[in-house]
C-alpha cells in the first residue's frame, strides 16, 4: 500500500525536472496492491546503451536534484516514510543502521543468510564499518527515491521522461541516491566506459 499511496503523493511534486506520472486509480487484487498511472513513454535506464546513458546523465542528475529539493514541510523523521509523511527514525544514521534489523517488510533474511554458504560475517562487518562512519554523516533531511534503477526511471532522447515506483522512498541525505547509482554502475557492463563519478 505504501508504494501506491507514495506514488500519488509524489505526483503532486511533479514538474519539468521531476516527471512523475499522475496516479489515476489504485486498489487491491487478492494480496497485491496496484496503482494505475497515465502512460509514460521511454526506455528503462537499465537498458540504455553507453551512448544513450551518457546523453541521459545530465537529465538524470537534474532529476536527483529535483527529488532532493522536494519541500518536506509537514513531515517528520528519517527513513522510509508512511503515507502520512512520517518516518520512524530520529536521525539519518539511525535510519541507515536499521538496515541490519529485520522488519515485517523483509522478514527472515538474517536467518537465511546465516544458514547460507556466505554467512552473516560480511554483513556484520559492513554494519560495523557503517556505524563507525555514522557520526561523520551530515545532518541532512531531504527526499530520497531509493531505487533509481530496476527500470524505475524511463528516458527518451537523452531526457528522463518518468520516475516510477516510490515504494523505497525515504527521508535523509539526498546523496544516498547518487551513492546508489555509483554502487550499482559496475553491474551494467555496457556502461563501463561511462565514468559516473565525474558526471
Amino acid at each position: 500500500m505504501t508504494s501506491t499511496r507514495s506514488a500519488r503523493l509524489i505526483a503532486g511534486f511533479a514538474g519539468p525536472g521531476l516527471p512523475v506520472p499522475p496516479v489515476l486509480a489504485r486498489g487491491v487484487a487478492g494480496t497485491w496492491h496496484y496503482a494505475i498511472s497515465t502512460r509514460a513513454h521511454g526506455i528503462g535506464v537499465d537498458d540504455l546503451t553507453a551512448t544513450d546513458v551518457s546523453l541521459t546523465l545530465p537529465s538524470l542528475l537534474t532529476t536527483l536534484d529535483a527529488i532532493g529539493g522536494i519541500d518536506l514541510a509537514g513531515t517528520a523523521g528519517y527513513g522510509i516514510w508512511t503515507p502520512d509523511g512520517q518516518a520512524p527514525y530520529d536521525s539519518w544514521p539511525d535510519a541507515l543502521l536499521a538496515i541490519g534489523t529485520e522488519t515485517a517488510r523483509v522478514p527472515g533474511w538474517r536467518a537465511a543468510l546465516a544458514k547460507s554458504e556466505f554467512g552473516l560475517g560480511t554483513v556484520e562487518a559492513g554494519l560495523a564499518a557503517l556505524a563507525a562512519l555514522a557520526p561523520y554523516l551530515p545532518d541532512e533531511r531531504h527526499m530520497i527515491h531509493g531505487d533509481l534503477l530496476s527500470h524505475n526511471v524511463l528516458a527518451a532522447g537523452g531526457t528522463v521522461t518518468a520516475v516510477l515506483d516510490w515504494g523505497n522512498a525515504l527521508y535523509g541525505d539526498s546523496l544516498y541516491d547518487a551513492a546508489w547509482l555509483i554502487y550499482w554502475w559496475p553491474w551494467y557492463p555496457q556502461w563501463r566506459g561511462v565514468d559516473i563519478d565525474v558526471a
Side-chain angles (χ1 to χ4, degrees), residues 13-20 53-70 143 145 148 153 158-163 166 174 177-178 181 196 199:
F13 300 113
L18 182 54
V20 181
V53 83
S54 293
L55 290 172
T56 304
L57 261 179
S59 179
L60 182 58
L61 296 177
T62 296
T63 299
L64 263 66
D65 287 343
I67 292 169
I70 289 174
M143 182 68 76
H145 181 276
L148 288 168
V153 177
T159 300
V160 171
T161 56
V163 181
W166 292 78
S174 57
D177 272 333
L181 289 174
I196 189 176

Side-chain angles (χ1 to χ4, degrees), residues 10-160:
I10 293 292
F13 300 113
L18 182 54
V20 181
V23 173
L24 305 176
R26 58 187 173 86
V28 180
T31 59
W32 294 91
H33 296 269
Y34 66 86
I36 299 172
S37 66
T38 57
R39 184 173 184 180
H41 297 272
I43 298 171
V45 166
D46 307 59
D47 297 327
L48 294 179
T49 65
T51 299
D52 286 335
V53 83
S54 293
L55 290 172
T56 304
L57 261 179
S59 179
L60 182 58
L61 296 177
T62 296
T63 299
L64 263 66
D65 287 343
I67 292 169
I70 289 174
D71 184 0
L72 298 183
T75 69
Y78 293 81
I80 292 180
W81 44 276
T82 54
D84 62 357
Q86 308 305 300
Y89 300 101
D90 294 328
S91 71
W92 178 228
D94 287 346
L96 283 177
L97 292 170
I99 194 171
T101 304
E102 286 195 19
T103 66
R105 192 174 189 213
V106 188
W109 67 265
R110 293 187 71 88
L113 190 55
K115 292 177 183 175
S116 76
E117 62 182 295
F118 306 105
L120 277 169
T122 303
V123 170
E124 298 294 1
L127 289 169
L130 183 59
L133 294 171
Y136 303 100
L137 292 172
D139 186 22
E140 299 280 346
R141 188 172 176 278
H142 301 282
M143 182 68 76
I144 300 167
H145 181 276
D147 192 10
L148 288 168
L149 293 170
S150 306
H151 298 93
N152 291 332
V153 177
L154 304 182
T159 300
V160 171

Side-chain angles (χ1 to χ4, degrees), residues 163-175:
V163 181
L164 311 169
D165 191 354
W166 292 78
N168 289 315
L170 61 160
Y171 304 140
D173 185 350
S174 57
L175 285 178

